[in-house]
Structures are given as C-alpha cells and as structure tokens.
Amino acid sequence: MSCEKKSKPDYDVILFGAAGYTGKLVAEYLARVARARRSKLRWAIAGRNQGKLEAVRRDLAAIDGSLASLPIVIADSVDQASLDALAASTRVVATTVGPFAKYGRGLAATCARQGTHYCDITGEMPFVRASIDASHAIATQSSAKIVHACGFDAVPSDLGAYLLFDRARALGRNLKWAKGFAVEVKGRFSGGTFNTILGTVDEAVRRKGTRRLLLNPYALNPDPQTSLPKVTDQRTVRFDRDAGGWTAPFLMSVFNTRIVRRTSALLGYGGTANDFRYDEVMSFPPGPKGFAMASAVTAGIAGFFVATAIPVTRNLLARSVLPKPGEGPTKEERDRGSFKFRFVGETSKTSECSDGRASHRLEAVVSIKLDPGYGTTALMLGESALCLAEDGEALPKSAGVLTPAAAMGGCLVTRLRRAGMTLEVV
C-alpha cells in the first residue's frame, strides 16, 4: 500500500526516532540551527510513544519557545499504514531508529516508493545492500534520494575522498587512488554502534552469505561482482609512507571503505574504467612508540571480535563494559570529543590534461572538535536532512539509493563547513 504525496507536503523534514538518545540530539540541533538561521523550516518529530515525544517537545521549547507547538507524528516501524502516512506528509525523513536491518527497511522502501527523500545514520552493511537491491531502481524512478550512512559512519570518509575527487576533476584529471587515515578519534562510540557491530557479528556467524558480503571490498557497488582493482582490509600493523608512520586497522573502515567505493562507482572517480582504489586505517607516529600504539590497537580490535563471537565473554562485555543502546555521554563529555581524518590521493592523467605532469599528489583534512559518535553524528544527520530539504536545484540530479557524497556532494560540504567542521584540501 502507498499514499499519494501531496503537491506540497505538510512538512519539510520529519525526524523519526526523536525520543531516543541520538534522536534528541538531532532534534536539539535542528531547533538551534533553525533559530540561529531564522529558518522557516516546517518540521515535526515522530515516533511511536506520544508521551516521550511530548517530553522532547518540552525540552525543545526551552531552546525556542515557538516549538511548544511543534507537531508530533505517531508512527511505528512495524505499522505500514503509519509509514505510508509519514512519508506522504513530508519532503524528507531523517531517522535514527536502529538497528536498521530490523526497523529501517520498511521506512526506506516506503520513501523510495513515494518519492520522499530519506537519510539515516546506519553503519550496517547488510542493510544497505538489501536497500540497494530492493529500492534503488524504484527510488530512481520516483526521484527519491535514499541516503544511508549520514553520521560518523561514513560522512567524514565519504566527503574526504570526495574532496580529493573534486580537486582532481578541477584539474581535468581522474582520481587514481586515495587513502584515509584516522589520525585522532576522541570520544565514546555509541551504544547503538556497538549494538550494530554485535548484530552484524551474529548474522555473519549464522549466514555464510553475510560473511561473503562483509569480506567483499565492493559489497555496496552497483554490481558487487564486477572485476575491479584488488584491495583487502588491513588486519596487521604496517608502516605507511603516505601516513608518515605506523598504521593499524580501523574498526569502522570495513563499512566506510564500501561507502566510498560505491560513491566512486556512482560518480566515476577513476574515469570510465573506474580504476580507483581506496583504503582506510588508523595512523600513528613513526618510531617505537607509534609501533607500540598501533600494535595495541590491532590486538584490541582482534580481541574484541573474538570476545563478541564467544557467548560467555560477549555477555560479560554487554553487561559490564559496552554502553547500552540509548545511553550516552553528558554534553560536557561530548564537547571534549574530537576527530581528525587525513586523506591523501593521486590523480591519473586524461586526454584533457594540458600541464604535462604525469600526476598530482593531493591531500585533504576532515575534522571537528566535537564527540564523533553523538555530537558530530547529530550535526551531520541534521545538516543532511536540511540539505535534502532546502538545497533543491543546487543538489546533484542523481536519485536512487545513494551515498552522502553522491546525493549531496558540494552542497553538504558547504553546510558542514558552515556548521563548524573543517573540510579542506591542503
């Protein structure tokens, strides 16, 4: 069942999951931004619990008194009629309701059918692959932008590589390869992030197909079986000259790299042959201290995945160590957080090149002084929703199940810069 969208929907943005921990942060961000920019944004908060949403609205009214009458929309992920009505009443749905494999499929598919733009903060590769297979063609036809991974998974990586591509394109060149280095990540991962990891581990243990998907470096490409440059996820400590020091595996790279490679496939980073490689790791200083730090991180990640695969140690971690979904740091703790990514890449020559150089070396930085898992994720999802709702003709003309860079490109870069993030080619 689907509902016919009004010529002018009631809302520009509906935030689904506003009563959750991250949802509240996104709601507060939208409230502050709309007030500071004197925006005429027509928005609403949504979820399944009227009482909790009313409590969120009272908190928002302390930021902006006019929000005392902010509309509330009741919808449930398992109630298709409510999802139909939700998608029909707005131009954009932004959602924080996960795990997305359990609670997000119906909403994303509904938005695709109805031509409603959609953005979320998922880091679940099987969910994104399922969304591509189920909804890309439908969303392309309906002109909907279904944009996954609009939080710390995987906006910094996606836009960092995009900055290099955009500069290469300005030089009349393709982007031959790029590397992402997580130089600094200071802050707590969310309970939702760990819940996502645990759920993915469970599915990988149960299903051989999920294991194959997770191991496929091009799992999210339009055709994941297409023959492309061979790449493998780093699992050991290595010295990298481009990093200028020792490197270790990055916990989120398994998802982030697949998003960047999908962007490359959609935008053509490597030209018509799409001969483009992307890798992502954590970087540390050279010398014995850097080697020791990289070794400790590598051992810690390996130990974490071994522990989560064993029921006894997994239950112990869940009870006493890992944050629970919905839990999070205080505002003061979020404000003390930060992250910095460094990207390096190299262009390849095309027939349009006229400077005679074989290649150009490029470097970019993406950073902010704010907790990545909560504060920055709320900022990035909020700006993604506003970008889809307000930037109109300035947005790329693409539609379908997209990545942040493919869906919003330079428009999102501009918005995030205005919001306080550093996104620069250096």
Side-chain angles (χ1 to χ4, degrees):
M1 176 184 175
S2 65
C3 298
E4 184 178 349
K5 184 181 289 295
K6 301 176 184 178
S7 58
K8 185 177 181 181
D10 297 330
Y11 308 110
D12 298 316
V13 174
I14 291 181
L15 174 61
F16 186 54
Y21 183 88
T22 304
K24 290 178 184 177
L25 295 180
V26 179
E28 291 172 4
Y29 183 81
L30 290 174
R32 291 193 175 94
V33 164
R35 181 179 176 84
R37 298 176 187 171
R38 298 182 180 179
S39 170
K40 295 181 180 179
L41 182 73
R42 299 171 304 131
W43 67 294
I45 53 175
R48 62 181 181 177
N49 189 303
Q50 178 81 28
K52 290 182 178 180
L53 291 170
E54 288 176 351
V56 172
R57 183 168 62 182
R58 287 193 293 272
D59 291 339
L60 296 177
I63 298 172
D64 182 347
S66 68
L67 297 180
S69 58
L70 181 71
I72 288 174
V73 178
I74 301 301
D76 194 321
S77 298
V78 298
D79 181 352
Q80 185 58 50
S82 72
L83 297 183
D84 286 331
L86 177 75
S89 65
T90 186
R91 297 174 62 195
V92 179
V93 172
T95 175
T96 61
V97 180
F100 289 88
K102 184 175 182 180
Y103 299 115
R105 292 192 181 192
L107 180 56
T110 300
C111 290
R113 288 196 305 272
Q114 297 198 21
T116 301
H117 298 325
Y118 164 103
C119 52
D120 66 29
I121 55 172
T122 189
E124 302 167 45
M125 199 189 316
F127 163 69
V128 178
R129 181 70 253 176
S131 180
I132 294 167
D133 294 339
S135 298
H136 182 69
I138 295 170
T140 300
Q141 186 174 13
S142 72
S143 298
K145 293 178 184 286
I146 307 300
V147 194
H148 301 300
C150 290
F152 189 56
D153 299 316
V155 166
S157 303
D158 201 28
L159 292 187
Y162 174 82
L163 288 173
L164 300 184
F165 164 67
D166 192 50
R167 178 57 60 89
R169 183 170 53 180
L171 295 168
R173 293 171 176 266
N174 299 321
L175 189 60
K176 185 176 182 180
W177 59 263
K179 296 179 181 180
F181 300 107
V183 178
E184 174 188 314
V185 181
K186 182 181 177 183
R188 289 170 52 186
F189 284 101
S190 70
T193 296
F194 280 115
N195 198 40
T196 294
I197 293 171
L198 295 179
T200 302
V201 169
D202 286 344
E203 190 172 347
V205 169
R206 292 195 310 267
R207 299 180 181 178
K208 186 181 294 185
T210 299
R211 292 197 296 275
R212 285 198 298 266
L213 181 72
L214 296 175
L215 292 172
N216 182 351
Y218 299 102
L220 301 183
N221 277 38
D223 180 0
Q225 304 308 319
T226 299
S227 178
L228 290 166
K230 184 177 180 180
V231 290
T232 56
D233 299 309
Q234 182 171 321
R235 296 185 176 87
T236 60
V237 177
R238 297 179 189 170
F239 188 87
D240 191 300
R241 291 184 179 181
D242 294 308
W246 295 99
T247 63
F250 182 42
L251 184 62
M252 298 164 63
S253 68
V254 172
F255 182 72
N256 293 345
T257 54
R258 275 62 170 179
I259 291 290
V260 172
R261 291 171 195 147
R262 178 169 178 81
T263 301
S264 172
L266 294 172
L267 298 185
Y269 283 5
T272 54
N274 206 15
D275 184 17
F276 169 77
R277 301 189 312 277
Y278 179 75
D279 300 287
E280 186 175 284
V281 292
M282 294 192 75
S283 65
F284 300 91
K289 183 178 179 180
F291 177 78
M293 295 166 68
S295 299
V297 167
T298 303
I301 290 175
F304 172 77
F305 280 107
V306 170
T308 56
I310 301 171
V312 174
T313 52
R314 177 199 176 115
N315 291 336
L316 181 62
L317 283 173
R319 285 199 309 268
S320 58
V321 178
L322 300 182
K324 307 294 187 296
E327 292 183 353
T330 64
K331 182 181 185 304
E332 290 72 22
E333 290 172 327
R334 294 195 302 272
D335 289 344
R336 288 197 296 268
S338 62
F339 74 82
K340 179 180 179 180
F341 280 68
R342 176 172 168 256
F343 299 86
V344 296
E346 186 176 320
T347 66
S348 57
K349 198 170 183 179
T350 70
S351 58
E352 300 175 11
C353 297
S354 59
D355 60 13
R357 294 177 59 176
S359 65
H360 288 263
R361 186 82 162 188
L362 304 175
E363 182 172 339
V365 171
V366 177
S367 66
I368 193 172
K369 295 294 184 182
L370 188 64
D371 176 87
Y374 296 94
T376 308
T377 287
L379 180 154
M380 289 186 286
L381 181 64
E383 290 295 345
S384 295
L386 293 172
C387 189
L388 292 171
E390 297 180 342
D391 287 357
E393 293 300 315
L395 290 170
K397 304 306 178 187
S398 56
V401 179
L402 306 171
T403 61
M408 294 171 278
C411 292
L412 184 57
V413 170
T414 298
R415 281 184 168 275
L416 294 179
R417 284 173 177 163
R418 182 168 63 166
M421 284 182 66
T422 296
L423 299 102
E424 300 294 345
V425 178
V426 296

